[in-house]
Amino acid sequence: LTHNLLTCNVKGVVNGFPLKIEAAKVERQETDFNEEFIKNMIPKLDYNVLRNAAKQLDETVDLPEVLTDEMKEDESVLKKLHTALMEVTVIEGNL
């Protein structure tokens, strides 16, 4: 979640988003599913950045290529988003 909202503000950087993730240690930490929270976060996310980061950090996270309006109401898709946003955690690494 945090990765999708951060940008680099170093002087001279032309395109500071998305930040590159260099993860040395990644863990999955189970959390309670909150459907409303995930639905409220969707408009704030760059879905392609989220999908690519999730795939890079945990190959078992299976997000659809495109997030359609219908999928935004599908509980199974929302649970996958929850996993990518809330449960895949970088323990050691750099941005």
Side-chain angles (χ1 to χ4, degrees):
L1 175 61
T2 304
H3 172 259
N4 203 273
L5 303 174
L6 292 175
T7 61
C8 177
N9 63 358
V10 173
K11 189 175 182 176
V13 172
V14 177
N15 185 10
F17 180 80
L19 298 176
K20 180 180 176 186
I21 301 174
E22 295 174 350
K25 183 176 181 183
V26 178
E27 291 181 2
R28 192 180 281 196
Q29 299 175 345
E30 197 169 313
T31 62
D32 293 333
F33 175 61
N34 183 333
E35 183 173 337
E36 286 306 308
F37 176 78
I38 299 301
K39 285 182 177 180
N40 289 331
M41 287 306 300
I42 290 171
K44 299 172 183 167
L45 299 172
D46 182 319
Y47 182 74
N48 288 327
V49 169
L50 170 65
R51 186 173 177 277
N52 291 334
K55 210 176 203 182
Q56 175 187 351
L57 296 174
D58 185 338
E59 293 177 358
T60 65
V61 177
D62 185 29
L63 295 175
E65 289 270 335
V66 178
L67 188 63
T68 65
D69 288 338
E70 294 80 26
M71 289 178 178
K72 294 175 185 176
E73 298 298 323
D74 182 327
E75 185 174 320
S76 67
V77 174
L78 293 173
K79 284 184 175 181
K80 290 178 182 182
L81 284 167
H82 165 82
T83 298
L85 289 168
M86 306 302 295
E87 295 184 351
V88 176
T89 305
V90 176
I91 303 300
E92 294 178 23
N94 297 301
L95 290 175

